[in-house]
Amino acid sequence: QVQLVESGGGLVQPGGSLKLSCVASGFLVSLYHMNWYRQAPGKERELVATVAPGGTTNYADSVKGRFTISRDSAKNTVYLQMNSLQFEDTAVYYCNTILPRGAYWGQGSQVTVSS
């Protein structure tokens, strides 16, 4: 059974850092594109970062230079390191992958940037 379980969200001040984790089960994260999306209140869900099976990463322009996506194959886990957080980064963050059998999402992790 495929599952994605996120953790690591919380409340942080502007300029602070958080690291999100996405533990996968039922498939190997090293074999598929793994994505982080976010959805802010009243906005559409947007793609934030992607790591490809070969290790190539891509980022939304709004987070380039501040966020880093990574993968630990031994733990079957994907991470999103978020630095220099801004008010606009407040959102629910979702882990996602697309497998031959369909698309899968985690339950979401709330990140709130507030002073």
Side-chain angles (χ1 to χ4, degrees):
Q1 182 179 0
V2 174
Q3 270 195 313
L4 297 171
V5 180
E6 299 115 338
S7 62
L11 175 64
V12 63
Q13 292 186 338
S17 297
L18 282 175
K19 186 174 184 178
L20 302 180
S21 299
C22 172
V23 179
S25 56
F27 72 102
L28 296 178
V29 299
S30 59
L31 298 183
Y32 298 93
H33 283 78
M34 296 298 300
N35 311 304
W36 283 99
Y37 282 78
R38 68 184 180 187
Q39 188 165 20
K43 294 189 176 182
E44 293 190 356
R45 194 170 294 190
E46 64 169 340
L47 179 61
V48 174
T50 296
V51 57
T56 301
T57 58
N58 282 287
Y59 299 92
D61 287 343
S62 59
V63 307
K64 276 180 185 175
R66 300 188 299 120
F67 290 12
T68 303
I69 188 171
S70 62
R71 180 178 62 209
D72 185 333
S73 298
K75 296 182 178 180
N76 214 34
T77 299
V78 178
Y79 303 98
L80 186 67
Q81 177 66 49
M82 304 183 292
N83 299 329
S84 302
L85 283 161
Q86 304 167 357
F87 293 120
E88 309 84 77
D89 296 317
T90 294
V92 179
Y93 285 72
Y94 297 92
C95 184
N96 161 266
T97 192
I98 299 176
L99 306 180
R101 71 199 90 164
Y104 292 86
W105 296 87
Q107 82 283 2
S109 186
Q110 176 70 49
V111 172
T112 302
V113 184
S114 176
S115 55

